[in-house]
Amino acid sequence: MAGGFVMKGIGGLLPPGGVDFTQPCVVRDVLDRVGDRWSLLVLAHLGEEPMRFNMLHRAIGDVSKQVLSRTLRRLEEDGFVTRTVHPATPPRVEYALSAMGQSFLSPLRVLMDWADDHHHAIVTARDSFGVAQSGDSAE
């Protein structure tokens, strides 16, 4: 695997012994960027079709324009998204998935399907946890 990181250990998820932890963790480096609050939604929407900024903003709904702009910039910087300026007055800017962004759609769909399949169980667990916590604080 890239960067000498080999998946070993329990369930294949632990790094091998002798890993140089002074170097950036490959998995953490990628997940820190695509695993933030908005990146996955941006990638999912752009996976449907290229979009202009305001169309993407409306599609996502509850993200501020500043945060969406920052998210798009980071995804472009990391090579997931392309930004094309079309000559017009005013200039028309369109965002689309790059080849790497397209390659991320398959694991993204698996994650989104898993979230959809397990959302009810997660909400139930949160509710149960909240009830247990409020009962503990009453003692």
Side-chain angles (χ1 to χ4, degrees):
M1 193 179 267
F5 188 86
V6 178
M7 300 298 266
K8 287 186 175 181
I10 300 171
L13 296 176
L14 298 177
V19 169
D20 182 358
F21 289 104
T22 62
Q23 297 301 311
C25 174
V26 173
V27 174
R28 187 176 327 124
D29 184 43
V30 173
L31 290 180
D32 281 350
R33 293 306 276 265
V34 297
D36 66 31
R37 184 171 182 174
W38 301 109
S39 292
L40 294 178
L41 289 173
V42 168
L43 293 169
H45 282 288
L46 292 178
E48 298 294 320
E49 64 179 317
M51 293 183 170
R52 294 177 62 184
F53 184 89
N54 285 330
M55 183 180 178
L56 185 58
H57 184 253
R58 283 189 302 273
I60 293 173
D62 56 347
V63 62
S64 73
K65 288 186 176 189
Q66 179 182 13
V67 170
L68 179 57
S69 178
R70 187 176 335 127
T71 300
L72 285 164
R73 197 173 315 116
R74 286 182 179 161
L75 290 170
E76 183 182 7
E77 175 185 1
D78 288 344
F80 287 93
V81 169
T82 62
R83 179 181 182 270
T84 304
V85 180
H86 298 280
T89 305
R92 188 171 58 90
V93 178
E94 186 175 73
Y95 296 91
L97 292 184
S98 65
M100 186 168 54
Q102 289 285 340
S103 75
F104 188 68
L105 287 178
S106 181
L108 176 57
R109 284 187 185 107
V110 171
L111 177 61
M112 292 177 79
D113 288 345
W114 184 93
D116 188 48
D117 291 345
H118 293 85
H119 185 251
H120 181 73
I122 293 168
V123 170
T124 301
R126 286 178 188 157
D127 291 345
S128 297
F129 183 81
V131 168
Q133 289 297 306
S134 63
D136 288 347
S137 63
E139 293 176 14

